[in-house]
Amino acid sequence: MPAYRPEEIEKKWQAHWKEQQTFKADNASAKPKYYVLDMFPYPSGAGLHVGHPLGYIASDIVTRYKRLQGFNVLHPMGFDSFGLPAEQYAIQTGQHPEKTTRENIARYIEQLSALGFSYDWSREVRTSDPSYYKWTQWIFLKLFNSWYNLDTNRAEPIKTLMDKFADNGSQGINAAGDPEERHEFTAGQWGMMNEKQKLAAVHPYRLAYQQDTYVNWCAGLGTVLSNDEVKDGLSERGGFPVERRLMPQWNLRITAYADRLLQGLDTIDWPEPIKEMQRNWIGKSIGAEVTFPVLSDDSAAISGEETTAAGPVIKVYTTRVDTIYGATFLVLAPEHELVAQLTTPEQQEAITEYIAATKRRSERDRMADTKTVSGAFTGAYAQNPVSGQPVPIWIADYVLAGYGTGAVMAVPSGDQRDWVFATHFNLPILQISDAQQGLDQQADPTKEGRYINSDLINGLGYADATEKLIAFLEERGLGRGKVNYRLRDAIFGRQRYWGEPIPIYYKDGTAYGVAEADLPLVLPEIDEYKPTETGEPPLGRAKDWKYKGQYDYELSTMPGWAGSSWYYLRYMDPTNEARFVGEEAEQYWGNVDLYMGGAEHATGHLLYARFWYLFLKDLGLVNGNEPFQKLINQGMILGRSNFVYRINGTNKFVTLGKKDQYETTALHADVNFVDNDVLDIEAFKKWRDEYATAEFILEDNGTYVCGVEIEKMSKSKYNVVSPDTLISRYGADALRLYEMFLGPLEQFKPWNTNGITGVGSFLKKFWRLFHPEDGALAVTDEPATPAELKALHKAIRKVQEDIEKFSFNTSVSTFMIAVNELTALSCHKRAILEPLVVLVSPYAPHLAEELWAELGNQPGSISSASYPEFREEYLVEDSVNYPVAINGKVREQFQFAATATAADIEAAVLASDFLARFGEGKAAKKVIVVPGRMVNVVV
RNA sequence: GCGGAUAUGGCGAAAUUGGUAGACGUGCCAGACUUAGGAUCUGGUGCCGCAAGGCGUGUGGGUUCGAGUCCCUCUAUCCGCACCA
């Protein structure tokens, strides 16, 4: 083998790995376990671009490194293969999504293999495979058959709830969820109920439950979307408008786990920004619920007389009870259930009109427009439960129906939104703290100062006042301290074909879970992938699709995140037919030690997966506390788009430098025929027929220069760089090294192919250390010199540190330095080069395997355990140059033996005529010696 | 508006965590070898300056013998949430 030929080497070793099943992980091993997981991809038709493998390369480096350190590493890969694009494609072409998906996966596997990843492909899972989604459905049934007991603070089988009902009726049940949805009954009444009635009573307690829910309805996609699939009022996929709609939906009661999901964040090693996003998403707030009785007639309100209200009451939620004396009016959400009842005849028209106007405004308008103040007076008054003062009741759309109680007490002096509202509608603003200032300009939410105009709490500070007020309200049954969460239950149904069927059937209008023995409930074949004429989901088209031949199935399918919420567990034991994961396998692999993936899943997948894990734990099905111990977010690699400028109304294109002289339209030019922003005009002309006759106005040097913009990599922007062409040109090892070299893993960065020649020449130089004469391997058995050992061990130490810190970019620099040093030393010694191959092997595995084979060693025969024995002693420099400074200003270099102590150095500097040489006659006040670094003499 | 992150040469970046800023790679300049090649090798390259020297890590201040690093101020860019009471 004369020269370094990556393509031959890589093909050879990839075939070898596949054949030998080199990376198969064992479920029982004396070695310690380590689980490295990549977020599995959705197999899109476009294949991989250079951005996709970034995280996979990093995790593969860790995997190979951990194996060298003697760990039994689980490093699997699979496919999140249910999803919209395959279905959209099916609607357009009639091709079964299963076929599209299978073909895309084949292409993905091919591309991933070409990069030399060390996945254990024997564990591959596909979420769309019935043998996999059988267990997704099984977990759903577990959720369906569970409720959340707040007394034990965990999920329990629905059976324990029924037992409680039989003993005491609904009395004393402390369950997560909305009590408003549930009915009260006695044990006797329960006993009288028939099956249908019992199931109806139980249903609102289930962790998977059906309910009329406001959903994000996307007509363009014909389905509902979760909040994290909606961006700025448009669907994330497709960019179709999304509106709020009340529909019966399957929901998962993730809110039951809000507090545990929050607490758990403190126990896991995740990037702080992601944890913070989850905290905000859960949105815990500590406050109080306060009851405002509605005054029965307005004459009382006008006279300000105290009224004993036996009528309706309005519950508000506030985080600032202390400001209650400043609550000069109430505001209800327009959807609030009491609005109709409260509205006086005189105000009827105004209220009706306002509600209609609110409905007309789409969610998107409401978001875009938070400045406009709007609202309407109901004509009714409530009584401030602390001051006894009457307060008018308004409705306004700045109050959200879905948060807290859907009603707020407005304190214009303390809350800016209330202040704006009060100012606009000329409602009173009452100062309640001596520290509040500028109330004619804006609200002042300060917690400083002492309260005024606040009877009970006048003169008190924030903490005392809050405590006293809550005690006062609780005593009278008018309020209590309350914790609220922003987190909503997760909508679980999609009106789509290409997803897991929800294993529910309906008997006499009541929902039943499909028996476990009948799973998987296989996705039926249908003629077309569209909704039915009657507006039912596509599954409504399935012929003769009935449970036990007679009961209708649920027609919606599960959302994309269902299958991805537990796939990491299935990898542990992917072929188990008796259990979602075998107990021993789960016990052995535990949780994921390192999870690599994008930050875009912060509040979606990463939250749902944690939720499912906690639920499974409650049922005793898994043993850990959190699924993903350490999380690393790789940054996205962005595309570098090139533009040509067409002069409007012509077929003439003008170069970047002269485009300002014309009216132009920028058009994407395919980056594949642009080199260093210079357009290959011939290639461009051939690109599309319409350009064949195009004319060009060039720069003065005769080139056509394109404009540049950094955008997401995408087919439609013609800025996709495929790994395939780079691999065929430079090799997978070069691409792996280069992607790591590009910059810090976590950072977002534009792709730029230019620098890849640097790592390419590193690999060639590395090869040449072993083949200096362009022939067979030529390494010597001479003993290494200290200089060579130093070069080696500096590299080993640095690279080990780097991998522990996930700072792979600096490792590549370290390799280059080592190779340059050893080349300069003409070192071709086995003693140095063998360990160097081990060090490089996680980064450039193919090259390492080849050299290993040539050196006559089996891969892995050199264990990293052999590093430490000769590590530190060679790291010590013989002598060290110290910059010596006077008052921080460097004057001279002194050389000291590496073993010199701080005292030696200080003495030597003082004994020299150092100070005199630089005109400092005075004695030194202080000498600061930083060992190995520098000396500073203070005079 | 709230929360979070980032800011260093022409470009990607490094800096042992408070100790000679710019390693390494690109790009550029010069040279070598070459039957001009997107090959290889050598040297140079933060900015200003012929030089001595001066100035330099987004802005302004502070702590320190010494600050890219710590503290305060401001600015810009990016991300997340967005009337959450």
Side-chain angles (χ1 to χ4, degrees):
Chain A
M1 167 134 335
Y4 173 51
R5 295 197 201 288
E7 62 278 41
E8 284 171 32
I9 294 174
E10 289 172 4
K11 285 219 177 67
K12 171 172 150 194
W13 289 106
Q14 282 160 16
H16 177 84
W17 293 333
K18 193 173 175 185
E19 190 187 310
Q20 301 288 313
Q21 301 207 33
T22 312
F23 307 116
K24 204 164 161 43
D26 210 330
N27 268 10
S29 166
K31 294 176 181 176
K33 72 95 189 181
Y34 198 82
Y35 187 175
V36 183
L37 180 68
D38 288 308
M39 287 185 187
F40 65 167
Y42 173 80
S44 89
L48 294 174
H49 62 64
V50 286
H52 292 117
L54 184 73
Y56 304 154
I57 296 170
S59 64
D60 196 57
I61 289 168
V62 175
T63 299
R64 290 173 177 272
Y65 174 74
K66 286 284 175 186
R67 287 206 194 99
L68 284 170
Q69 285 194 319
F71 285 87
N72 182 28
V73 184
L74 176 56
H75 188 45
M77 180 47 89
F79 299 93
D80 190 11
S81 47
F82 274 134
L84 279 178
E87 180 161 348
Q88 299 285 53
Y89 189 71
I91 291 170
Q92 287 160 20
T93 64
Q95 182 169 136
H96 197 294
E98 197 274 333
K99 182 167 183 281
T100 318
T101 303
R102 188 162 23 86
E103 289 166 359
N104 290 348
I105 287 176
R107 169 106 181 92
Y108 264 63
I109 293 179
E110 199 181 295
Q111 284 188 302
L112 290 170
S113 303
L115 278 154
F117 294 135
S118 60
Y119 294 121
D120 177 355
W121 283 110
S122 74
R123 293 173 184 262
E124 184 204 328
V125 302
R126 303 180 182 190
T127 55
S128 60
D129 192 316
S131 70
Y132 179 87
Y133 70 67
K134 167 182 177 178
W135 297 106
T136 310
Q137 292 172 330
W138 182 82
I139 295 172
F140 173 84
L141 287 176
K142 292 281 174 206
L143 285 157
F144 179 69
N145 286 316
S146 300
W147 66 295
Y148 199 92
N149 186 345
L150 288 172
D151 289 332
T152 56
N153 199 28
R154 62 187 194 85
E156 293 181 11
I158 215 80
K159 171 88 170 52
T160 66
L161 181 69
M162 291 184 161
D163 290 348
K164 282 173 189 281
F165 285 161
D167 291 345
N168 295 310
S170 61
Q171 189 69 39
I173 301 279
N174 193 10
D178 185 359
E180 311 269 317
E181 297 291 325
R182 297 162 182 168
H183 300 292
E184 291 185 10
F185 47 84
T186 63
Q189 287 169 321
W190 171 260
M192 303 289 287
M193 288 183 196
N194 62 25
E195 181 179 283
K196 186 179 164 81
Q197 289 167 326
K198 279 184 177 168
L199 289 177
V202 162
H203 191 88
Y205 291 83
R206 296 181 187 274
L207 292 188
Y209 62 97
Q210 200 178 25
Q211 191 185 79
D212 279 345
T213 310
Y214 275 104
V215 294
N216 303 303
W217 172 252
C218 178
L221 295 171
T223 190
V224 302
L225 299 171
S226 68
N227 283 333
D228 54 280
E229 289 168 318
V230 182
K231 293 259 178 290
D232 302 327
L234 299 174
S235 65
E236 199 176 29
R237 276 184 198 278
F240 299 104
V242 174
E243 55 172 310
R244 304 286 288 168
R245 220 196 236 192
L246 199 61
M247 293 175 83
Q249 286 296 327
W250 283 94
N251 293 270
L252 297 191
R253 206 180 296 285
I254 189 173
T255 49
Y257 288 87
D259 209 46
R260 285 164 71 189
L261 289 169
L262 193 60
Q263 303 291 328
L265 290 173
D266 296 332
T267 69
I268 49 182
D269 184 7
W270 284 21
E272 205 47 51
I274 298 281
K275 291 202 210 178
E276 200 53 34
M277 267 190 245
Q278 290 209 348
R279 285 190 194 106
N280 292 338
W281 192 260
I282 295 166
K284 182 176 186 171
S285 80
I286 296 165
E289 198 172 272
V290 183
T291 304
F292 281 65
V294 176
L295 293 172
S296 47
D297 70 74
D298 23 348
S299 60
I302 290 152
S303 66
E305 232 169 77
E306 296 246 345
T307 314
T308 0
V313 296
I314 293 169
K315 286 185 173 171
V316 303
Y317 177 73
T318 177
T319 53
R320 293 293 303 274
V321 219
D322 60 299
T323 63
I324 193 166
Y325 283 93
T328 49
F329 56 102
L330 297 187
V331 188
L332 311 190
E335 299 92 338
H336 196 281
E337 55 183 12
L338 287 178
V339 172
Q341 192 185 335
L342 292 173
T343 306
T344 61
E346 307 84 74
Q347 293 303 114
Q348 191 63 56
E349 197 181 326
I351 291 288
T352 312
E353 192 187 309
Y354 184 71
I355 291 174
T358 307
K359 277 201 182 132
R360 257 182 272 120
R361 294 177 76 190
S362 71
E363 193 72 356
R364 199 155 171 240
D365 295 336
R366 273 175 74 164
M367 280 208 268
D369 168 30
T370 59
K371 301 259 185 311
T372 313
V373 184
S374 69
F377 179 42
T378 61
Y381 288 80
Q383 187 183 37
N384 184 319
V386 184
S387 69
Q389 290 299 308
V391 292
I393 304 170
W394 287 66
I395 65 170
D397 67 1
Y398 82 87
V399 175
L400 305 175
Y403 184 78
T405 60
V408 302
M409 63 175 213
V411 183
S413 60
D415 183 289
Q416 185 60 21
R417 293 158 304 182
D418 298 342
W419 186 92
V420 169
F421 195 82
T423 310
H424 188 264
F425 288 107
N426 207 16
L427 292 158
I429 299 170
L430 179 65
Q431 183 177 0
I432 45 161
S433 160
D434 59 8
Q436 282 179 324
Q437 288 170 355
L439 291 181
D440 51 335
Q441 293 301 313
Q442 58 182 349
D444 181 355
T446 181
K447 293 176 183 176
E448 311 297 319
R450 305 278 148 184
Y451 294 94
I452 57 172
N453 299 327
S454 302
D455 256 4
L456 265 183
I457 54 167
N458 274 337
L460 295 183
Y462 171 75
D464 294 340
T466 304
E467 197 180 317
K468 187 164 180 183
L469 283 168
I470 289 182
F472 175 88
L473 290 166
E474 278 182 354
E475 223 168 84
R476 286 162 183 73
L478 289 169
R480 63 199 172 93
K482 197 182 174 201
V483 175
N484 238 325
Y485 297 93
R486 203 186 70 104
L487 185 70
R488 301 270 74 99
D489 277 344
I491 297 165
F492 200 65
R494 294 295 124 95
Q495 286 63 46
R496 287 261 136 192
Y497 175 70
W498 192 231
E500 302 88 344
I502 293 180
I504 291 287
Y505 66 93
Y506 295 93
K507 186 160 101 186
D508 192 16
T510 297
Y512 287 81
V514 168
E516 274 183 34
D518 294 322
L519 295 180
L521 171 55
V522 177
L523 192 59
E525 297 299 321
I526 56 175
D527 53 353
E528 263 194 297
Y529 303 97
K530 289 190 258 192
T532 65
E533 284 71 27
T534 55
E536 280 183 331
L539 286 186
R541 295 175 176 274
K543 302 252 184 321
D544 304 322
W545 193 52
K546 300 226 185 264
Y547 189 54
K548 306 227 185 269
Q550 51 177 325
Y551 305 116
D552 286 338
Y553 281 117
E554 167 66 38
L555 296 181
S556 50
T557 52
M558 299 188 194
W561 52 268
S564 62
S565 292
W566 72 283
Y567 72 110
Y568 60 97
L569 291 168
R570 189 66 182 168
Y571 284 138
M572 297 173 183
D573 194 10
T575 54
N576 196 321
E577 288 181 15
R579 212 166 177 274
F580 73 113
V581 52
E583 283 177 85
E584 278 177 31
E586 195 277 328
Q587 194 85 250
Y588 177 73
W589 290 112
N591 57 9
V592 174
D593 293 284
L594 174 66
Y595 196 18
M596 185 77 65
E600 65 273 19
H601 298 106
T603 53
H605 160 64
L606 287 170
L607 199 60
Y608 297 131
R610 293 181 61 220
F611 157 45
W612 280 34
Y613 193 81
L614 289 174
F615 168 71
L616 292 170
K617 182 188 170 64
D618 285 352
L619 298 194
L621 297 167
V622 294
N623 290 294
N625 294 312
E626 285 282 339
F628 314 120
Q629 195 52 43
K630 183 174 180 68
L631 175 73
I632 297 281
N633 295 125
Q634 87 277 12
M636 195 186 295
I637 292 191
L638 302 167
R640 196 168 177 287
S641 306
N642 280 114
F643 291 90
V644 292
Y645 302 94
R646 181 163 64 192
I647 300 172
N648 292 347
T650 70
N651 200 16
K652 234 183 214 180
F653 293 83
V654 59
T655 184
L656 180 68
K658 296 182 178 170
K659 84 176 174 77
D660 292 343
Q661 302 165 22
Y662 304 89
E663 290 282 309
T664 60
T665 307
L667 299 169
H668 278 98
D670 195 317
V671 293
N672 289 307
F673 40 75
V674 178
D675 189 22
N676 264 326
D677 300 335
V678 175
L679 183 71
D680 178 340
I681 292 173
E682 290 312 309
F684 181 75
K685 280 180 162 178
K686 279 184 208 141
W687 188 29
R688 291 202 187 140
D689 292 345
E690 53 176 307
Y691 299 149
T693 58
E695 294 173 58
F696 298 86
I697 299 173
L698 306 175
E699 299 286 332
D700 295 338
N701 66 5
T703 60
Y704 187 99
V705 176
C706 298
V708 174
E709 220 170 285
I710 304 300
E711 305 176 288
K712 264 194 184 177
M713 234 182 233
S714 111
K715 237 177 165 176
S716 63
K717 298 188 173 100
Y718 301 103
N719 60 1
V720 172
V721 181
S722 149
D724 308 9
T725 52
L726 292 171
I727 288 173
S728 65
R729 190 148 151 198
Y730 301 98
D733 285 342
L735 181 59
R736 289 169 62 111
L737 281 163
Y738 185 56
E739 293 219 5
M740 290 298 101
F741 185 64
L742 219 46
L745 182 64
E746 286 96 333
Q747 228 163 68
F748 280 57
K749 50 209 163 223
W751 177 262
N752 180 358
T753 306
N754 291 342
I756 198 168
T757 53
V759 293
S761 65
F762 155 73
L763 290 168
K764 281 182 212 158
K765 287 183 203 169
F766 191 84
W767 179 263
R768 241 177 278 133
L769 286 175
F770 296 80
H771 306 88
E773 297 303 326
D774 252 24
L777 180 75
V779 293
T780 71
D781 287 323
E782 288 171 66
T785 65
E788 292 161 348
L789 284 164
K790 202 179 285 174
L792 171 67
H793 289 290
K794 267 193 316 203
I796 291 172
R797 185 179 62 174
K798 183 76 166 75
V799 170
Q800 285 191 331
E801 280 171 5
D802 286 345
I803 295 180
E804 303 288 344
K805 289 192 305 196
F806 299 92
S807 143
F808 306 101
N809 54 332
T810 50
S811 287
V812 183
S813 298
T814 305
F815 293 144
M816 292 179 178
I817 293 167
V819 164
N820 286 343
E821 283 176 355
L822 293 171
T823 304
L825 292 166
S826 297
C827 172
H828 307 293
K829 296 170 182 167
R830 180 180 286 271
I832 296 296
L833 298 184
E834 258 184 17
L836 200 62
V837 175
V838 180
L839 190 69
V840 172
S841 67
Y843 290 81
H846 308 90
L847 175 62
E849 287 273 20
E850 178 68 18
L851 293 171
W852 246 320
E854 290 191 27
L855 287 164
N857 275 305
Q858 289 303 307
S861 66
I862 306 169
S863 116
S864 71
S866 64
Y867 293 166
E869 357 175 331
F870 55 106
R871 178 173 152 192
E872 285 301 333
E873 55 181 293
Y874 291 109
L875 287 173
V876 182
E877 304 282 343
D878 311 328
S879 63
V880 183
N881 267 330
Y882 280 71
V884 182
I886 299 173
N887 289 341
K889 185 117 185 137
V890 176
R891 303 294 180 172
E892 204 174 338
Q893 299 280 329
F894 277 51
Q895 198 176 56
F896 294 100
T899 51
T901 66
D904 295 341
I905 292 166
E906 181 178 342
V909 170
L910 291 176
S912 75
D913 56 354
F914 174 71
L915 286 174
R917 268 207 303 286
F918 294 99
E920 295 287 346
K922 309 164 247 183
K925 241 188 247 164
K926 185 161 63 157
V927 179
I928 301 157
V929 179
V930 184
R933 299 255 167 268
M934 61 96 67
V935 181
N936 188 35
V937 182
V938 185
V939 295

